[in-house]
Every structure is written in structure tokens, then in C-alpha cells.
């Protein structure tokens, strides 16, 4: 199987590069930037990509590269920081730019570059850099320029080295997928021989080999990731999988009952439900800072989960639904120098008496790939198409201190948001085509720690504000706010204010990621 490897220099978009290459049915793997040339030779990739990153190549301690990698005869593509590092390593110069360049930029192509074959003479790309190459190495040619960047793209035709100062992996770059496709197929000569069906067969075989005759305990949240992980593990080891669902009191309306029905009764998994809402509310008392809340929820989850897991004395493995975005955003077992955005809610740091070995069958997949795996496994679309839900649940959608009363308020507000979205997406009479929402990722309510004055009838009110958040995305690494119809927003607002006692104002969040994140906390 042909493979492209990506050296991770810490860009929040590194996983997107891998995802875009997999879309071409070529397997891609992210490796630490510290990888040696001997290890690269052993992997024998068809091509190497140097990712972007937050550092400057000339600052002390900046991530580097084993120079011998440039002598292996393998095509190399440097992206942003990767281009600057390659230029510096091969004799060019990098310096701070006169102007930083962030966002959409018009780029002009110099003819004769395989990387831009079949593309227009100029198009918009996504720049994100403060430094720039000021002198290219010997043997390199200019492939593209922008108003602020004379070396927006460069190439060494004989060595098959390419550098681009922009990010082709993000949706904001026009023709970005084609640029990566040109590198993978025209430059590297890779074959499109990676399929999810093959991945499933290989993963089930690996799980059987890893687990052997032992048992696995898995924290089941009812979300897509843990659900697909559970079904995949069940396919591999059957009844030796034991699922534990922790009802933390921070779930969506009636979610605990729905999970018990779906997994325990319908799918026939061995399921234990731990009802522990009171413990979580007590742990959250007095906390308002997002990371403090996440950590408190995570610690309590571990305590409750551990109590239940001790009943399964023969379990050697801990199963988790960890996926790629979890890894990159939390730097959990990170493969490069990425910065922590927020900590994620996975089962980690269990007590010493629970010496589980980790089993994470999905950790190299993106959300849409996880859903595709679930479909191949025959899972119901009503489960697979569920919107992502954060591990800490409504604990990070109640902004500020979390109480039972606030959670119940938010549950009722969010229920009405979901009901109105269901009407919109199923309606054939709406003036907006539902095809406009094919990339809809999440729509949910957030309870703000802000009270405002209102009037209902002849009475003054002083109640909470609710925010509605809706985003379009492919993989959660970037996201744009959804242009919901005014009629839908009006219906959500009217129902929340009139039917949920305690909320008298509704606002709509029109922030994109970046710079915002999808969740508020």
C-alpha cells in the first residue's frame, strides 16, 4: 500500500493534510518531526510533507529536521513553516515579513509547475505566516507570487522538492485539494489503494491480535465515536466487551434513557448504566473557569467509571473512542509540537489498581471517516448522523458555574432548537433548500451567565440569555457559521422565550473557526 508521511511541526491543520490525502484513497500517516532519515527509509513513503507550525525557523529551539531526509530521493512538499524550514536547510534565507499575511490572498502562478497543473493563472489561497523566504536555495525556481510574498511557491524540479507558503488543506484555499492531488499522483506517483473496508478488516484483525482472549471495558457516551468503537470492538471480540455509560446529569434531554434503549436492548451490548448526576453537580460547585470545569468533570467521570470498572475483574483493556481531532486539540499523545486549545474528556489517569492497556481503534480517523466506518458496519443512520456532543456535555455549554437548575433550563432550550432544526431539514416547503445544509455539523443552545431585563405581558422580567450556535464543517478542524433561515431562528427564539421559564433573550453566534472554536468552552 502506497503511503505519504507528514512531519508534524505543530500546525492546527496538520491532520487536515492527512485527511485531504486520504480523500484521494491514498494512506497518509503523521509522524513526529524528529523522525530520522533511516526510519523514513524503512517506512518507504512515496512522498513526504513538512507541515506548517507556530514557530519561526530562526528562533532558538525551533523544530528542525534530519537533513539526510533531503538526500533520500523522495519527493518533498513543504507547507508554510515546512517551506521555510526546507529553504533554510538547503541554503536559502528566511526573515520576518514586512507585513504579516493572514487570511485569503490572491496568488499568481508562474507557468511550468506540476503542482499547479490544470489550475488557473491566479486564485485565492489561505495564508497564515509572519515570516517569509527572502532568498531561495540554489537550484530552486519561483512557482507563484502574491502581493506580499515574492516566493509564495517554489520548486526544485530535479530533486522533486516543492514549497508553498499557503495552506492547501483548508477549505479557504481555492483548488487546494487539486494541489495536494497533483503532489500525491503527478509528483509522487502514488496509487489510490486505500479503502475504509480494507481498514475495517485490518483493524478487526489487529484488535483480535491485541486483545487475544482478554476482555475490554469501554466508556460509552452514546455519541458517534464511542458507539462506532463499541460496535467495532464487539465485531472483534463479541461478549467480552463490557460498556459502561455514566449518566452525569449533563446530558441532553432524555439522553440517558435513549442510550440505554439503543445499546442495551436494540444492539445487545453488555451495558452498565451508572447514575451519578448528584456527584457531578457537587464537583462543579463554585467552578466557572472552562478548564477547571473540564478537569472536574473528567476527574469525577474517572472516579465513577473506575468504581464500575472494578466489577470487571478480568478486563485487561480499556476501550476509547478517541479520534484524530481529539488528539490534535488536546495534544494528548501528540506527535508534534502542537499547542493545547482545550483538554478533552477521555478516560485517562485511572487509579493504580486499574492497570488497563489502552485500546483506541479510531484514533487515526476523522469524524466523517468514523461515520463511514459505522455505515459499513451496518449501524443505523439515526445513530451515525447524530451531532457531535462534547465529553463534558452541557457542563461546557452552561457558561460559568454549573447547577442542576441551569442544566435543566438549557436542556429545555436545546430541545426546542433541535425540534426546529428537525422541522427545517425535513420540510419540503421551506424557501431554503435543505441541500444548503449538507455540511451542517452542529446546532445547539448555550446558556450564558448574563441576565437581561425583559417584559412579558405587563410584567418586568430579569432572566438568562440563551445563545444559538450552528456551524457547517467537514471535519471540525475548521468551521463556518450556518446561515439559518430567519424563520427558523425566529421560531427557535419565540419557543425558547415563551416555553422555557427563566430565559427572556436569544442571540445567534456568527463566529467561525478559527478564530473561535465550535464549542464556547
Amino acid at each position: 500500500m502506497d503511503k505519504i508521511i507528514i512531519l508534524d511541526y505543530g500546525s492546527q491543520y496538520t491532520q487536515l493534510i492527512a485527511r485531504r490525502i486520504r480523500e484521494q484513497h491514498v494512506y497518509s500517516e503523521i509522524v513526529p518531526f524528529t523522525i530520522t532519515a533511516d526510519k523514513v527509509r524503512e517506512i518507504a513513503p512515496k512522498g513526504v510533507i513538512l507541515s506548517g507550525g507556530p514557530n519561526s525557523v530562526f528562533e532558538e529551539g525551533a523544530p528542525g529536521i534530519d537533513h539526510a531526509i533531503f538526500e533520500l530521493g523522495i519527493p518533498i512538499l513543504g507547507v508554510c513553516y515546512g517551506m521555510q524550514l526546507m529553504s533554510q536547510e538547503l541554503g536559502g534565507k528566511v526573515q520576518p515579513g514586512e507585513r504579516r499575511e493572514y487570511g485569503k490572498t490572491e496568488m499568481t502562478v508562474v507557468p511550468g509547475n506540476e503542482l499547479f497543473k490544470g489550475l488557473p493563472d491566479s486564485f485565492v489561497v489561505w495564508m497564515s505566516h509572519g515570516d517569509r523566504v527572502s532568498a531561495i536555495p540554489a537550484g530552486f525556481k519561483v512557482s507563484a507570487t502574491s502581493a506580499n510574498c515574492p516566493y509564495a511557491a517554489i520548486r526544485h524540479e530535479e530533486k522533486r522538492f516543492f514549497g508553498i507558503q499557503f495552506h492547501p488543506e483548508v477549505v479557504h484555499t481555492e483548488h487546494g485539494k487539486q494541489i495536494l492531488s497533483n503532489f500525491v499522483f503527478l509528483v509522487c506517483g502514488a496509487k489510490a489503494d486505500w479503502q475504509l473496508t480494507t481498514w475495517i478488516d485490518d483493524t478487526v484483525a489487529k484488535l483480535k491480535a491485541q486483545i487475544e482472549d482478554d476482555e475490554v471495558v469501554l466508556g460509552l457516551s452514546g455519541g458517534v465515536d464511542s458507539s462506532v468503537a463499541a460496535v467495532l470492538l464487539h465485531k472483534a471480540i463479541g461478549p467480552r466487551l463490557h460498556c459502561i455509560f455514566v449518566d452525569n446529569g449533563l446530558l441532553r434531554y432524555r439522553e440517558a434513557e435513549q442510550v440505554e434503549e439503543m445499546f442495551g436492548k436494540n444492539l445487545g451490548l453488555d451495558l452498565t448504566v451508572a447514575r451519578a448526576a448528584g456527584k457531578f453537580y457537587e464537583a462543579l460547585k463554585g467552578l466557572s473557569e472552562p478548564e477547571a470545569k473540564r478537569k472536574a468533570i473528567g476527574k469525577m467521570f474517572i472516579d465513577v467509571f473506575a468504581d464500575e470498572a472494578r466489577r470487571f475483574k478480568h478486563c485487561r483493556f480499556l476501550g476509547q473512542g478517541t479520534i484524530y481531532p481529539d488528539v490534535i486539540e488536546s495534544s494528548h499523545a501528540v506527535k508534534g509540537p502542537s499547542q493545547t486549545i482545550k483538554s478533552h474528556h477521555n478516560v485517562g489517569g485511572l487509579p493504580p489498581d486499574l492497570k488497563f492497556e489502552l485500546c483506541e481503534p479510531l484514533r487515526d480517523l476523522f469524524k466523517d471517516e468514523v461515520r463511514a466506518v459505522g455505515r459499513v458496519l451496518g449501524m443505523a443512520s439515526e445513530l451515525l448522523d447524530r451531532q457531535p456532543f462534547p465529553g463534558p456535555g452541557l457542563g461546557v455549554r452552561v457558561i460559568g458555574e454549573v447547577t442542576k437548575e441551569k442544566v435543566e433550563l438549557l436542556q429545555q432550550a436545546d430541545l426546542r432548537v433541535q425540534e426546529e432544526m428537525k422541522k427545517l431539514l425535513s420540510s419540503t416547503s421551506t424557501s431554503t433548500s435543505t441541500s444548503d445544509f449538507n455540511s451542517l455539523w452542529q446546532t445547539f443552545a448555550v446558556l450564558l451567565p448574563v441576565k437581561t431585563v425583559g417584559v412579558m405581558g405587563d410584567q418586568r422580567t430579569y432572566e438568562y440569555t440563551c445563545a444559538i450556535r450552528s456551524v457547517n464543517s467537514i471535519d471540525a478542524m475548521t468551521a463556518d457559521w450556518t446561515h439559518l433561515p430567519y424563520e427558523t431562528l425566529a421560531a427557535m427564539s419565540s419557543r425558547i422565550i415563551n416555553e422555557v421559564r427563566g430565559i427572556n433573550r436569544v442571540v445567534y453566534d456568527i463566529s467561525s473557526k478559527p478564530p473561535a472554536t465550535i464549542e464556547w468552552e
Side-chain angles (χ1 to χ4, degrees):
M1 180 174 65
D2 286 348
K3 182 184 298 183
I4 303 291
I5 64 169
I6 303 157
L7 274 60
D8 183 9
Y9 287 95
S11 169
Q12 297 298 326
Y13 301 139
T14 300
Q15 273 66 23
L16 273 182
I17 302 175
R19 180 67 191 94
R20 300 296 178 242
I21 293 172
R22 291 184 195 179
E23 288 174 355
Q24 313 288 340
H25 299 292
V26 175
Y27 185 72
S28 58
E29 179 179 327
I30 295 170
V31 299
F33 70 89
T34 52
I35 191 171
T36 64
D38 288 339
K39 183 62 177 176
V40 173
R41 186 183 294 109
E42 179 185 325
I43 295 172
K46 299 294 287 187
V48 173
I49 296 178
L50 313 180
S51 83
N55 301 93
S56 292
V57 294
F58 44 74
E59 67 185 17
E60 185 176 354
I65 188 172
D66 183 347
H67 189 87
I69 291 174
F70 293 108
E71 300 166 1
L72 295 176
I74 300 172
I76 297 176
L77 172 63
V79 177
C80 199
Y81 180 89
M83 169 180 165
Q84 296 167 12
L85 178 64
M86 179 168 62
S87 297
Q88 181 172 273
E89 284 286 323
L90 298 179
K93 293 183 180 179
V94 180
Q95 66 181 34
E98 295 177 6
R99 283 193 325 161
R100 294 186 300 174
E101 199 168 23
Y102 293 101
K104 294 180 179 180
T105 301
E106 184 82 15
M107 187 183 75
T108 301
V109 173
V110 177
N113 184 2
E114 279 183 287
L115 211 58
F116 302 140
K117 186 175 180 179
L119 302 185
D121 294 337
S122 65
F123 53 92
V124 172
V125 298
W126 183 263
M127 294 282 192
S128 181
H129 65 97
D131 304 332
R132 70 179 187 183
V133 175
S134 56
I136 61 177
F140 277 76
K141 297 180 179 180
V142 179
S143 297
T145 63
S146 73
N148 190 48
C149 190
Y151 304 120
I154 59 175
R155 71 187 186 278
H156 191 300
E157 292 175 344
E158 182 183 345
K159 294 183 177 180
R160 317 292 280 163
F161 293 165
F162 297 80
I164 52 179
Q165 188 57 71
F166 59 92
H167 289 272
E169 66 274 23
V170 301
V171 295
H172 312 294
T173 292
E174 294 178 349
H175 314 295
K177 289 183 180 181
Q178 186 61 48
I179 292 169
L180 289 173
S181 177
N182 285 346
F183 177 72
V184 169
F185 297 115
L186 296 182
V187 175
C188 300
K191 295 188 295 292
D193 56 4
W194 184 71
Q195 303 289 340
L196 277 179
T197 50
T198 304
W199 181 90
I200 292 172
D201 292 340
D202 290 346
T203 300
V204 168
K206 288 177 183 177
L207 288 171
K208 288 179 177 178
Q210 178 189 9
I211 299 166
E212 296 179 324
D213 294 328
D214 290 300
E215 300 183 6
V216 178
V217 61
L218 178 141
L220 181 66
S221 70
V224 174
D225 303 334
S226 65
S227 300
V228 173
V231 173
L232 196 60
L233 279 162
H234 193 261
K235 180 179 176 68
I237 64 171
R240 288 183 286 122
L241 170 68
H242 309 288
C243 298
I244 298 173
F245 174 72
V246 177
D247 180 2
N248 58 14
L250 305 172
L251 305 172
R252 289 165 285 201
Y253 181 70
R254 293 200 72 251
E255 186 165 17
E257 293 89 337
Q258 292 167 0
V259 168
E260 194 168 10
E261 175 78 20
M262 182 178 299
F263 292 94
K265 296 180 181 178
N266 296 348
L267 294 180
L269 274 64
D270 178 34
L271 177 65
T272 298
V273 178
R275 307 194 187 282
K279 294 180 179 179
F280 281 85
Y281 289 132
E282 185 62 30
L284 287 165
K285 189 175 293 184
L287 299 182
S288 59
E289 200 276 325
E291 278 297 294
K293 293 197 298 183
R294 282 180 173 270
K295 289 174 180 176
I297 293 168
K299 182 181 183 304
M300 181 53 64
F301 184 92
I302 290 168
D303 292 344
V304 175
F305 181 88
D307 287 343
E308 296 294 336
R310 287 188 179 94
R311 299 192 299 107
F312 302 100
K313 301 184 184 300
H314 302 293
C315 281
R316 176 182 160 198
F317 292 93
L318 171 66
Q320 290 192 158
T322 308
I323 65 173
Y324 243 162
D326 297 337
V327 175
I328 187 60
E329 284 206 340
S330 63
S331 296
H332 164 67
V334 72
K335 300 175 183 176
S338 305
Q339 297 183 357
T340 298
I341 304 300
K342 58 190 176 185
S343 49
H344 278 267
H345 181 72
N346 283 319
V347 182
L350 287 167
D353 63 309
L354 292 173
K355 297 179 180 178
F356 291 122
E357 295 179 33
L358 272 184
C359 182
E360 298 175 311
L362 306 177
R363 67 171 289 115
D364 291 326
L365 297 185
F366 290 91
K367 180 74 75 172
D368 56 323
E369 292 176 316
V370 173
R371 288 192 171 105
V373 166
R375 289 188 178 93
V376 175
L377 292 171
M379 297 173 66
S381 59
E382 66 184 50
L383 172 60
L384 296 175
D385 294 332
R386 294 191 75 193
Q387 295 185 2
F389 190 63
L394 300 182
V396 291
R397 291 182 181 172
V398 171
I399 309 303
E401 185 177 5
V402 180
T403 65
K404 182 173 183 291
E405 293 70 28
K406 289 180 182 178
V407 169
E408 289 176 348
L409 261 186
L410 183 54
Q411 284 176 332
Q412 292 300 319
D414 190 69
L415 175 63
R416 285 148 179 84
V417 168
Q418 302 310 322
E419 288 175 346
E420 292 305 318
M421 281 303 297
K422 187 175 181 180
K423 288 180 188 176
L424 171 65
L425 297 177
S426 62
S427 173
T428 56
S429 60
T430 179
S431 59
T432 304
S433 170
T434 55
S435 64
D436 293 342
F437 304 108
N438 286 340
S439 61
L440 184 69
W441 187 261
Q442 273 175 291
T443 303
F444 56 89
V446 179
L447 188 69
L448 306 186
V450 175
K451 285 189 174 183
T452 68
V453 172
V455 58
M456 291 188 180
D458 294 324
Q459 303 236 335
R460 175 188 184 273
T461 62
Y462 189 59
E463 297 176 336
Y464 285 105
T465 301
C466 171
I468 297 171
R469 176 73 158 148
S470 184
V471 297
N472 288 0
S473 182
I474 302 299
D475 43 37
M477 299 303 290
T478 61
D480 290 321
W481 62 277
T482 309
H483 293 232
L484 290 178
Y486 290 153
E487 295 83 1
T488 297
L489 291 172
M492 290 177 180
S493 176
S494 177
R495 289 195 60 196
I496 291 170
I497 291 172
N498 285 291
E499 298 173 18
V500 183
R501 187 177 293 274
I503 296 174
N504 69 357
R505 192 176 299 269
V506 175
V507 298
Y508 191 49
D509 180 353
I510 58 170
S511 309
S512 294
K513 175 185 180 180
T517 54
I518 293 177
E519 297 288 343
W520 277 46
E521 291 189 339

